[in-house]
Amino acid sequence: MNSINQFPNPMKKVKLFLLLFVTAATFTACNNDDNETIRSKPTASNVEIGTANNKRALIGRDFHFNADIVAGDKIADVQLKILPKKGETYTKDWKFELSWIEYRGAKNTTVHKHFNIPAEAPEGKFDFYFIVKDENGTELEIKEELT
């Protein structure tokens, strides 16, 4: 009996390993990520809700809002909402919503607005929302409590 035939050829093992490695790499390395692009969301800084950022509104009086916006792509919509807070009771149903189309298409802007809180607004705590929608489909939502 020949002792050389007792041990497998090391080159065959290497070739088999390389073949398995190349096959595995071919099936795992090919990934089409063209449809999965990362979309940047809008950001806001220097946000001021109410005079001196006190997050308070006076019924029938001027309300101050400010935010510096940078869109991920371009701004599609800018909204401000004051909505009833869950768990709170009010003397009447009330909500307040504004939308500003003049910012549509801008990459960055400062939203600086003054508007009156209507006289029919009830007293209480409300949810304040500032929403920026981007043309790329992303959205920024800031939610604060407003008195």
Side-chain angles (χ1 to χ4, degrees):
M1 187 162 162
N2 192 343
S3 63
I4 296 177
N5 290 334
Q6 290 178 355
F7 300 105
N9 185 344
M11 284 304 289
K12 283 186 179 180
K13 282 186 178 180
V14 170
K15 286 180 184 178
L16 181 61
F17 174 78
L18 287 175
L19 178 64
L20 289 172
F21 177 77
V22 169
T23 303
T26 301
F27 288 108
T28 58
C30 295
N31 186 4
N32 187 356
D33 289 335
D34 293 340
N35 295 332
E36 298 177 17
T37 57
I38 297 173
R39 299 177 295 167
S40 298
K41 291 176 68 171
T43 61
S45 59
N46 300 320
V47 178
E48 296 174 11
I49 303 169
T51 304
N53 200 28
N54 64 4
K55 296 176 180 64
R56 297 182 62 83
L58 298 175
I59 297 171
R61 306 279 305 267
D62 179 69
F63 183 80
H64 164 79
F65 177 76
N66 188 82
D68 294 333
I69 306 301
V70 176
D73 185 17
K74 289 183 181 175
I75 295 171
D77 193 23
V78 176
Q79 302 172 7
L80 183 144
K81 298 179 181 184
I82 301 173
L83 303 174
K85 191 172 192 58
K86 289 186 190 316
E88 293 287 321
T89 55
Y90 305 96
T91 57
K92 60 181 147 184
D93 289 336
W94 181 82
K95 66 180 180 178
F96 188 75
E97 298 182 10
L98 296 170
S99 182
W100 298 294
I101 61 170
E102 66 260 30
Y103 301 112
R104 190 174 292 153
K107 172 67 177 165
N108 57 18
T109 190
T110 297
V111 177
H112 184 104
K113 295 291 183 178
H114 287 263
F115 51 89
N116 284 335
I117 299 297
E120 67 269 8
E123 290 186 16
K125 294 181 189 234
F126 291 83
D127 285 328
F128 176 94
Y129 293 92
F130 179 64
I131 302 163
V132 178
K133 295 181 180 182
D134 200 300
E135 288 182 359
N136 69 14
T138 62
E139 182 176 299
L140 165 70
E141 181 180 286
I142 296 173
K143 179 183 176 187
E144 294 286 342
E145 184 176 280
L146 180 71
T147 302

